[in-house]
Amino acid sequence: MSSLRITEIRAFPTSFPVDPKDSVTLGIGRAVKRDAVIVKVETEGGVIGWGEAHHGRCPGAVAHLVNTTLRQLVLGQDANDTTGVWKKVYDKQLASHGMGAGACLALSGIDMALWDIRGKALKVPLYKLLGGRARPIPAYAGGVSLGYQEPKALVEEARPHVQAGYKAVKLRIGDTVAHDVERIAAVREAFGDELAILTDANTGYDVADVRVVMPALDEHNVGWLEEPFPAHDYLSYREAARYGRTPLAAGENHYTRFEFNRVIEDGAITILQPDLSKTGGITEALRIAALASSWKLPIHPHTSMTGINMAATIHFLAAIENGGFFEADISKNNLFRDKMVTTPYKLDKDGNVAPLEAPGIGVEVDEGFLKAHPVIEGPAYV
């Protein structure tokens, strides 16, 4: 096998504006653009890997961190040594200055690209490299949006997804409790008890809101209440867990196994949602999944902006014993899914997806797209 010594690392911050007719409103505001950070890692033997670092609402800064500090730490390392690379960045960047989100996002993109390289070098798809097998992964229709429409309009938005095969949808709540309950009730009435309804408040609730909404979530058999509060508000999660049967979900904004260790020990959040582009990459997500399995807790990963993360997440789910849903992207005109990469996944008639069979993560990246879509600085939600 040719040398996998890392010779170059480059991050590409990229953006595109959201057409007002496609804009959605969530608990965090109205979307005006989409951002991503794409990481390219090159090796001495010519094998190239691609990863996605979550943009952290500041894609230019995350890319700059990859291109400067982390690049200098990682150049010259062996791409096979994913554990060693991870530990070097942890020792030099994360351990001494806390779990700074920027460094963890940046590391995630590099780590994902290294796993892509390893699969390509061995000519095997990522799921096989991770010890998994090609099997159906249940998907839910969720990222972005199924948001703040009137109940009838929300039902009509959900209908084609149910007809396509999805057995689960995730509704965006965190508007007002009254409006949220009306929407949930309308979807439940329209599609019956066989459809799994999940909810995501995008940190839009406070404890009083959850106290009021929880009986309705229980009544309508909602599968989970995701991120009612910011990730660091552990006290509110502990309080809210007392209010009903609906499980609390979080994890997309928790970083590394160390933060998940606290989440698990607190016991309030029982649906864990690490994001491969945020929590420390594939290397760390595997550790989090193993930790969760010892507590009999499921992993339902959050997926990020691009087809790179989406495809990688399906490989990951195919390789862990406690994997749950894949979060399918249903946003309109997502160029990061439809134009920047080859097709990351397909939904079958039963609402399942399967890992790609090409070596590595299995998607090809159009570098011309990255040049044509430079970063747009500024907030993505207003």
Side-chain angles (χ1 to χ4, degrees):
M1 187 169 62
S2 58
S3 170
L4 295 186
R5 188 178 69 86
I6 298 168
T7 56
E8 187 56 276
I9 298 172
R10 183 178 176 190
F12 301 83
T14 178
S15 307
F16 65 88
V18 173
D19 189 310
K21 68 179 175 56
D22 295 330
S23 182
V24 297
T25 298
L26 313 174
I28 49 177
R30 178 175 58 85
V32 294
K33 64 169 179 149
R34 302 289 291 271
D35 297 316
V37 177
I38 308 305
V39 179
K40 179 183 181 182
V41 177
E42 301 177 44
T43 62
E44 191 170 58
V47 182
I48 294 172
W50 294 92
E52 178 185 344
H54 192 273
H55 55 79
R57 308 269 177 86
C58 199
V62 174
H64 186 68
L65 184 53
V66 173
N67 291 331
T68 53
T69 302
L70 270 60
R71 177 181 179 273
Q72 292 182 37
L73 288 172
V74 176
L75 280 182
Q77 303 265 67
D78 183 351
N80 269 314
D81 187 17
T82 50
T83 302
V85 170
W86 201 98
K87 187 174 188 307
K88 185 172 184 181
V89 175
Y90 174 78
D91 288 345
K92 302 297 183 184
Q93 197 69 22
L94 290 172
S96 63
H97 285 74
M99 291 300 164
C104 207
L105 304 180
L107 171 58
S108 298
I110 294 173
D111 181 84
M112 190 181 295
L114 297 186
W115 281 97
D116 191 32
I117 288 170
R118 294 186 68 195
K120 289 174 177 174
L122 294 170
K123 297 181 172 54
V124 298
L126 179 59
Y127 74 86
K128 288 186 177 180
L129 192 61
L130 298 175
R133 63 181 175 89
R135 60 180 179 84
I137 306 294
Y140 70 81
V144 181
S145 159
L146 298 178
Y148 287 0
Q149 305 90 326
E150 291 300 311
K152 288 184 179 180
L154 180 61
V155 168
E156 291 312 306
E157 182 187 350
R159 193 176 304 281
H161 300 305
V162 175
Q163 292 172 343
Y166 285 106
K167 302 295 191 296
V169 298
K170 188 167 80 176
L171 306 181
R172 304 289 170 162
I173 61 175
D175 178 12
T176 69
V177 169
H179 288 157
D180 293 339
V181 171
E182 286 177 8
R183 295 182 181 113
I184 294 167
V187 172
R188 177 58 76 210
E189 181 179 359
F191 300 107
D193 292 336
E194 291 187 1
L195 182 69
I197 297 178
L198 316 171
T199 61
D200 185 353
N202 289 111
T203 73
Y205 279 159
D206 58 25
V207 170
D209 293 324
V210 176
R211 184 185 289 110
V212 174
V213 81
M214 189 62 86
L217 301 185
D218 290 347
E219 177 187 351
H220 294 294
N221 194 29
V222 168
W224 71 57
L225 170 58
E226 181 175 337
E227 282 203 323
F229 320 116
H232 55 263
D233 191 357
Y234 296 100
L235 181 62
S236 291
Y237 279 100
R238 288 200 299 271
E239 180 69 17
R242 301 167 46 233
Y243 296 150
R245 301 186 310 274
T246 301
L248 299 180
E252 68 179 270
N253 293 306
H254 289 95
Y255 300 100
T256 77
R257 63 193 183 276
F258 304 108
E259 291 194 358
F260 275 90
N261 186 61
R262 173 170 181 176
V263 169
I264 291 170
E265 288 193 340
D266 273 6
I269 297 165
T270 55
I271 302 291
L272 305 181
Q273 302 171 307
D275 185 321
L276 303 187
S277 294
K278 286 184 169 187
T279 202
I282 294 167
T283 299
E284 192 69 352
L286 290 169
R287 294 165 174 161
I288 293 165
L291 174 65
S293 73
S294 70
W295 290 77
K296 310 301 182 186
L297 296 177
I299 300 289
H300 299 270
H302 176 263
T303 51
S304 285
M305 291 288 137
T306 86
I308 301 173
N309 175 290
M310 296 170 195
T313 297
I314 296 171
H315 286 291
F316 169 70
L317 280 166
I320 61 174
E321 65 181 42
N322 52 338
F325 281 117
F326 168 69
E327 181 178 14
D329 181 79
I330 58 164
S331 58
K332 297 178 181 177
N333 300 319
N334 180 359
L335 304 184
F336 297 148
R337 176 197 62 207
D338 301 334
K339 301 294 185 182
M340 190 191 80
V341 296
T342 51
T343 303
Y345 65 89
K346 294 180 180 178
L347 186 80
D348 70 18
K349 61 181 178 59
D350 297 316
N352 299 315
V353 296
L356 299 175
E357 291 294 339
I361 293 173
V363 294
E364 298 176 11
V365 177
D366 180 358
E367 294 192 58
F369 177 96
L370 300 175
K371 294 177 182 177
H373 296 84
V375 66
I376 302 170
E377 300 290 4
Y381 292 90
V382 297

